Amino acid sequence: MTIGEVEKTLIEHMGLADLAVSLPRAVRLQRLVVQLKAQFACDAVVLLQEEDGALRPVAAEGLSREALGRAFEVARHPRLSTILLSREVVRFEHASTLPDPYDGLVEGMAGHPLPVHDCMGASVHIDGRRWGVLTLDALQTGAFDASAREALRACMPLVAAAVRVSLLEQEVQLLRQARVAASGGEGGADAPVPGVRTGIIGHSTALQQVLHEVDVVAQSDLPVLLMGETGTGKELFAQRVHERSVRAKGPMVHVNCAALPESLAESELFGHVRGAFSGATTDRAGRFEAALGGTIFLDEVGELPLSIQAKLLRTLQNGEVQRLGADKPVKVDVRVVAATNRVLKDAVSQGVFRADLYHRLSVYPIHVPPLRERGDDVLLLAGHFLEVNRARLGLRSLRLDAAAESALLRYGWPGNVRELEHVMGRAALKLLSRGVNRRDIVTLTEDVLDLDETPGASLGLAGPISVDAVGAKDAESALAGTSVARVMGKSADGSGMAALRAQVEQFERGLVRQALQSAGGNWAEAARRLGIDASNLHKLAKRLGVK
């Protein structure tokens, strides 16, 4: 096929023949790599965007699914660095000693971790500025001759055009969101620059819906309450709210409410003056004043003691704080984003959280989905953590086999993304302990993942606790609740949820009591048997009324 025929085919299939045609960014760029792979008859084509010293795949054809979640640090990948820094098409001979970033990640016909043999690529520039790179890889030697390099050189303007169109479409979408959120105000002029990345990886519908909500509400100045299970990454969504808001240039102050001792919580949040208490030798501003003009993120806000909740309510109502020991309040211009893994409505009914504060915080509640509801996102996140561990441990390549991928998709992930991160790191270390060669393509198999797929693990409670000791009926009810709750939790009126939560709490209460009994009253040992932190066990026991 001639260079002209290649260009014509790409124009027809990339949506460039009529730039007025609106295509989602992912669809347009995926069409691009699919067509390039077909035209060059290679095994993999990847389009990567440069962000913060790393190259992140935005579209790929021919790579394993988990590879899309990786961020390839340019400084650690000499081939990608060479391509990125050159304005010409770069080809690496099959005998090149430079490691290929896709070794073991290209989908081979036999399903084995095949090394890449032929590689070429070029940097992508948009309006004179470097944007990223396009790479083509083949498992057979001699796949890219001089004519292939010339054809790729001719195609690069079309690649840049496709990327430019996708960026323009993204800008239009963000401006529309800003206009809706501002309701005719002046928010459009301060709209954030598109492409801000906050470390949130995934393409699932559940995640994209939440990200859309976050981007819309970010343009307002409303308080936001992020709700979700432990380990879902709520702090990253809070960061996105801040970065997509008009306060993005201001500070973002993170406060872990669960770690604040009750005796120091007021001083930490609102500040104090000299002499307010023993040891207060100077005036000190609190976290709210530190966040002036920006955002304060109250993580685990459900753990705040009632005495502090009353003062927080005043701050939200009046926009002012009063330092401990001070006579006059201080005005503060701060946007509040809070997060909790507790059901605050239940905490209100139990009298441990103020109803008026709950309503102030939950002006715009957002539910962060658990990992089990995000489909293939688990593989993208696994790829990200694999690349982090590959670089940290000095491995040539670290990948998953098909059985390991299936196991990750099958598992319930009670600990969500945080648990996945720990599983990937532990599995990599386990293989190193078995003596694998760091210069080989290292494959993680299902057995090294060490996933506990017992029924108790689906509730996030692991350990040698006998279900019989708790009660089969309670266990059956609670286990059924893990799947039923997903359906019932989406109903309009939430009918039946109170009874369901009561059954789950009854089961949890029995597990905690059994663990303490079998551990002889030792809280640390009981926490170890349940597979949770001792501090979390104390909080759980307090909530369940276990003494």
Side-chain angles (χ1 to χ4, degrees):
M1 181 175 285
T2 65
I3 293 175
E5 290 173 330
V6 171
E7 291 179 344
K8 181 179 178 181
T9 303
L10 289 176
I11 291 175
E12 290 175 349
H13 289 85
M14 286 161 43
L16 294 175
D18 182 4
L19 295 182
V21 176
S22 178
L23 291 174
R25 181 191 190 207
V27 173
R28 187 184 299 278
L29 298 182
Q30 189 61 30
R31 283 187 180 184
L32 167 64
V33 296
V34 168
Q35 288 303 314
L36 285 170
K37 182 175 180 289
Q39 297 304 320
F40 285 89
C42 56
D43 292 285
V45 176
V46 189
L47 183 65
L48 305 100
Q49 183 176 1
E50 183 182 11
E51 293 178 345
D52 301 326
L55 287 166
R56 301 177 183 272
V58 295
E61 183 69 10
L63 289 189
S64 60
R65 286 180 292 175
E66 53 91 356
L68 283 173
R70 298 186 180 229
F72 299 96
E73 291 186 35
V74 176
R76 294 179 179 271
H77 293 282
R79 291 201 187 200
L80 292 177
S81 176
T82 302
I83 295 172
L84 185 65
L85 297 176
S86 176
R87 294 299 293 258
E88 299 294 329
V89 173
V90 177
R91 176 180 178 268
F92 296 95
E93 299 289 342
H94 69 275
S96 173
T97 58
L98 295 178
D100 193 291
Y102 308 139
D103 276 349
L105 301 180
V106 177
E107 295 175 344
M109 294 297 293
H112 297 299
L114 301 175
V116 174
H117 288 290
D118 261 21
C119 169
M120 71 172 177
S123 57
V124 179
H125 289 74
I126 306 297
D127 298 328
R129 299 180 62 181
R130 195 173 68 200
W131 178 87
V133 301
L134 177 75
T135 63
L136 288 76
D137 291 271
L139 298 176
Q140 299 296 324
T141 59
F144 304 128
D145 55 15
S147 62
R149 294 196 296 273
E150 187 61 31
L152 180 59
R153 184 178 295 108
C155 289
M156 290 311 297
L158 299 176
V159 173
V163 173
R164 186 183 295 107
V165 170
S166 71
L167 292 175
L168 289 173
E169 289 170 341
Q170 189 178 13
E171 289 181 9
V172 170
Q173 182 183 11
L174 287 173
L175 288 174
R176 286 174 179 169
Q177 292 173 354
R179 188 178 305 159
V180 170
S183 299
E186 299 178 357
D190 293 318
V193 177
V196 174
R197 188 180 183 94
T198 51
I200 302 174
I201 297 172
H203 302 305
S204 64
T205 301
L207 177 64
Q208 294 307 312
Q209 288 175 346
V210 173
L211 292 180
H212 175 72
E213 269 195 283
V214 167
D215 292 346
V216 171
V217 74
Q219 292 301 304
S220 72
D221 217 25
L222 298 174
V224 176
L225 178 63
L226 298 167
M227 303 175 295
E229 299 175 7
T230 298
T232 52
K234 294 182 288 294
E235 64 277 7
L236 295 179
F237 291 87
Q239 183 74 29
R240 187 179 180 104
V241 171
H242 174 70
E243 292 182 350
R244 298 293 177 106
S245 74
V246 296
R247 297 176 177 269
K249 294 181 180 179
M252 181 174 181
V253 177
H254 185 142
V255 181
N256 185 350
C257 298
L260 292 177
E262 187 171 355
S263 58
L264 299 177
E266 182 177 357
S267 171
E268 190 68 22
L269 288 173
F270 309 116
H272 63 258
V273 297
R274 180 181 178 183
F277 53 85
S278 177
T281 57
T282 59
D283 291 356
R284 180 180 183 275
R287 298 293 186 91
F288 271 89
E289 290 184 70
L292 195 65
T295 304
I296 187 168
F297 175 45
L298 303 176
D299 197 8
E300 298 191 56
V301 70
E303 307 302 324
L304 282 176
L306 284 169
S307 59
I308 303 301
Q309 291 178 29
K311 294 179 173 62
L312 176 58
L313 176 64
R314 176 183 177 181
T315 299
L316 291 174
Q317 288 176 331
N318 304 331
E320 60 185 27
V321 298
Q322 186 163 351
R323 294 186 181 182
L324 188 61
D327 296 326
K328 296 181 179 180
V330 178
K331 286 289 184 180
V332 289
D333 175 26
V334 176
R335 199 239 184 106
V336 175
V337 178
T340 181
N341 57 16
R342 299 179 63 178
V343 182
L344 289 187
K345 282 186 178 180
D346 290 352
V348 170
S349 63
Q350 294 165 5
V352 295
F353 200 84
R354 294 180 62 108
D356 44 9
L357 177 58
Y358 167 70
H359 292 300
R360 281 283 178 177
L361 288 173
S362 61
V363 174
Y364 199 100
I366 294 177
H367 174 71
V368 179
L371 186 55
R372 63 179 173 274
E373 294 180 2
R374 291 175 52 182
D376 284 358
D377 282 358
V378 65
L379 297 182
L380 303 186
L381 288 161
H384 167 73
F385 294 130
L386 285 174
E387 179 62 22
V388 169
N389 282 282
R390 185 207 63 78
R392 180 171 61 87
L393 299 175
L395 301 172
R396 171 190 172 188
S397 177
L398 189 61
R399 64 183 291 274
L400 296 166
D401 69 5
E405 288 187 353
S406 298
L408 294 181
L409 291 170
R410 189 171 61 246
Y411 185 56
W413 298 111
N416 292 292
V417 180
R418 186 180 297 125
E419 182 183 6
L420 175 61
E421 179 182 10
H422 295 163
V423 166
M424 292 295 101
R426 181 176 64 238
L429 285 171
K430 189 176 292 186
L431 283 182
L432 274 183
S433 70
R434 295 179 182 179
V436 298
N437 192 328
R438 295 174 191 262
R439 291 172 292 182
D440 290 341
I441 297 175
V442 178
T443 301
L444 299 184
T445 55
E446 182 178 1
D447 64 298
V448 299
L449 297 179
D450 195 23
L451 297 177
D452 183 3
E453 299 188 66
T454 59
S458 67
L459 288 175
L461 298 170
I465 303 299
S466 171
V467 173
D468 293 335
V470 180
K473 184 176 180 181
D474 292 340
E476 183 179 356
S477 300
L479 292 175
T482 60
S483 58
V484 174
R486 299 182 200 172
V487 180
M488 297 181 67
K490 297 177 183 177
S491 63
D493 58 0
S495 60
M497 284 304 296
L500 179 64
R501 292 193 192 101
Q503 290 178 332
V504 173
E505 288 185 357
Q506 182 179 357
F507 178 56
E508 290 177 329
R509 193 176 295 111
L511 284 176
V512 171
R513 285 173 175 163
Q514 174 65 17
L516 285 169
Q517 182 179 354
S518 62
N522 186 313
W523 285 82
E525 175 62 19
R528 188 190 66 78
R529 296 186 180 210
L530 288 169
I532 60 178
D533 293 333
S535 60
N536 289 337
L537 177 58
H538 281 283
K539 293 175 185 176
L540 178 63
K542 182 178 179 181
R543 177 171 64 83
L544 297 173
V546 177
K547 299 181 180 179

